[in-house]
Amino acid sequence: ERMTTLPLDTGDLLASIDGAPAAFDGLATGTVMGHVHFCVSDVDDAVGFYRDTLGLDLVAAFREQAAFLSAGGYHHHVGANTWQSRGAAFAPSDRARLTRATFVVPDASVLDDAEALPGARRGGDGVELEDPAGNPLLVTTQPQRS
């Protein structure tokens, strides 16, 4: 395994844009993320949740620092890392943090399994719950339109 966390040269990236970048007003309706990376407090706990509870496959792990999981043979849908969060609680409300990640699953039986987890709540859109690090999730069978 070979991984790196080299910093992104944002100055060079922005210089490649013709003209001034437009103000960010949110993602376009219908945008689907290919994958998401979560800050977690413990990689083993994250793997236990995303692999053993939600059914993703473990694709790669980088010791206790990071794990990458997917469904259907994709390189990864979920990255879970402790690079800035090892042993830490979920970020408080006065900090930049994830407000929710949505997992669209292929069949409703997964919703029943998710609803059985501690703290899970079934709502009109699916099942709301948190991973072991406190990241808020929605598990649903329908893509969200907002």
Side-chain angles (χ1 to χ4, degrees):
E1 295 175 2
R2 182 170 182 199
M3 301 173 124
T4 184
T5 56
L6 296 174
L8 175 64
D9 184 345
T10 54
D12 181 62
L13 180 63
L14 291 173
S16 70
I17 299 172
D18 291 330
F24 181 72
D25 192 29
L27 296 173
T29 299
T31 298
V32 174
M33 289 285 181
H35 66 270
V36 63
H37 287 240
F38 295 110
C39 292
V40 300
S41 55
D42 183 274
V43 169
D44 288 339
D45 289 347
V47 169
F49 178 79
Y50 290 102
R51 181 191 61 202
D52 302 337
T53 302
L54 292 187
L56 296 177
D57 299 317
L58 180 63
V59 176
F62 187 58
R63 296 185 287 277
E64 67 279 350
Q65 294 183 29
F68 302 91
L69 302 104
S70 75
Y74 189 62
H75 63 88
H76 73 280
H77 291 101
V78 169
N81 73 70
T82 59
W83 295 322
Q84 295 181 20
S85 55
R86 178 171 299 154
F90 186 66
S93 62
D94 65 340
R95 303 290 172 94
R97 65 185 188 159
L98 179 72
T99 57
R100 183 173 79 186
T102 301
F103 284 80
V104 180
V105 296
D107 72 65
S109 68
V110 178
L111 298 181
D112 295 334
D113 294 341
E115 187 178 19
L117 296 172
R121 299 166 304 282
R122 174 91 65 152
D125 291 338
V127 177
E128 296 178 6
L129 65 153
E130 295 177 353
D131 75 2
N135 291 299
L137 309 174
L138 172 68
V139 179
T140 183
T141 57
Q142 300 297 317
Q144 302 299 292
R145 305 286 182 222
S146 57

